[in-house]
Amino acid sequence: MDDRGLLTGRVALVTGGSRGIGAGIALALGQQGADVVVNYHTNADAAAGVVAGIEAAGSRALAVQADATDADQVAAMVRTATEALGDIDVLVCNTVGEIDDAVERFMSGRTMAMDCAAEILHRTAAQLAATLYPCREVLPGMRRRGGGSVVLIGAAGTRGGRPEKGIAEIAVAKAAQEALARSLASELGPDRVRVNTVAPGMIPTDANAGPWQPMMITEIAKTTPLGQVGTAADVGAAVVAFAADLTRHVTGAFVGVDGGRTMD
């Protein structure tokens, strides 16, 4: 069955949409007919490349620079987006911020939960800001129009199994975001605004590129039921499902895109 056009006529905003998982999501939405606002922080060239890919698929796209943790910049971004493409029907909160040396800590087994309180607090505050500010700007319009879809990009490691060493700041921040998603889903349900979490596992991107990446891919694949790590396109496909009417009666869900590695 050809399922192209699931999102035709809708406008989506993807924070952190210029690279990695965010780019995969933005391209997947555009390929299904959505017009897409590609938010970026610093890499204008990468954002322009994603816009070109969406336009090549036949959808409209616009790159807008903004720091998703800055309330004023987010408000300006949403104004620019709606003026150019129309009201936002789908909001994807993907921004996570810089990874720092989390990959090295993961591979070396160094601990963080007991030794890096400042990093954990900073990461959690930034993650919640990058979720709450876009929601605050977009959700009133969705409620007035009688519906919409919000997809938060979480982390599969917040559920199931033993948390990996060295990535406490990411796990704690994403767990806080997940709690926020459940509260939003409950509060916004009467307005037909759905809020769901798509939680990737290990997804090879430029954010975790480097000498450790091949080893990470090999080791994680060994403990993954499907036998391989995922791709940004896999995450994009899951986001499309939650953005479309296929899941119109689903809210408050948490779906791990990790090949079954962290089953509940």
Side-chain angles (χ1 to χ4, degrees):
M1 179 180 68
D2 183 0
D3 60 356
R4 280 185 54 81
L6 288 172
L7 300 173
T8 298
R10 300 184 195 182
V11 177
L13 166 60
V14 181
T15 66
S18 65
R19 299 162 56 193
I21 290 173
I25 293 168
L27 289 166
L29 294 169
Q31 288 163 358
Q32 291 296 334
D35 296 329
V36 185
V37 181
V38 180
N39 162 246
Y40 70 97
H41 188 200
T42 57
N43 197 327
D45 289 341
V50 176
V51 166
I54 294 168
E55 291 176 337
S59 298
R60 297 185 298 167
L62 174 71
V64 182
Q65 191 280 332
D67 179 349
T69 68
D70 184 293
D72 292 336
Q73 291 187 40
V74 171
M77 171 179 66
V78 173
R79 286 195 300 270
T80 298
T82 54
E83 288 170 2
L85 297 181
D87 294 324
I88 295 168
D89 306 294
V90 178
L91 171 63
V92 182
C93 293
N94 167 69
T95 300
V96 65
E98 294 301 321
I99 299 300
D100 302 319
D101 61 345
V103 172
E104 182 179 349
R105 288 197 304 272
F106 169 78
M107 293 306 299
S108 66
R110 284 190 288 140
T111 61
M112 183 171 187
M114 293 298 295
D115 302 323
C116 300
E119 287 87 344
I120 292 172
L121 291 169
H122 171 75
R123 169 77 67 175
T124 302
Q127 181 68 78
L128 292 177
T131 304
L132 285 165
Y133 291 150
C135 285
R136 186 174 68 177
E137 296 301 322
V138 172
L139 286 174
M142 288 185 177
R143 298 176 82 175
R144 286 194 304 270
R145 295 190 303 277
S149 176
V150 178
V151 183
L152 307 186
I153 305 305
T158 62
R159 293 196 182 187
R162 176 174 58 84
E164 304 288 358
K165 291 182 180 180
I167 58 170
E169 86 279 29
I170 298 174
V172 172
K174 289 300 187 180
Q177 183 193 52
E178 183 185 336
L180 174 60
R182 290 167 58 86
S183 293
L184 288 171
S186 179
E187 293 180 7
L188 297 169
D191 298 303
R192 305 302 297 170
V193 176
R194 299 178 293 111
V195 184
N196 295 289
T197 297
V198 168
M202 165 59 179
I203 304 292
T205 69
D206 58 352
N208 53 44
W212 292 112
Q213 191 186 71
M215 187 184 301
M216 288 179 67
I217 293 171
T218 299
E219 292 304 311
I220 291 174
K222 289 178 182 177
T223 56
T224 299
L226 291 183
Q228 61 186 20
V229 300
T231 67
D234 293 325
V235 182
V239 171
V240 166
F242 280 119
D245 290 338
L246 293 171
T247 54
R248 65 185 182 87
H249 200 58
V250 179
T251 194
F254 177 100
V255 173
V257 183
D258 66 346
R261 188 167 183 264
T262 54
M263 296 184 193
D264 284 339

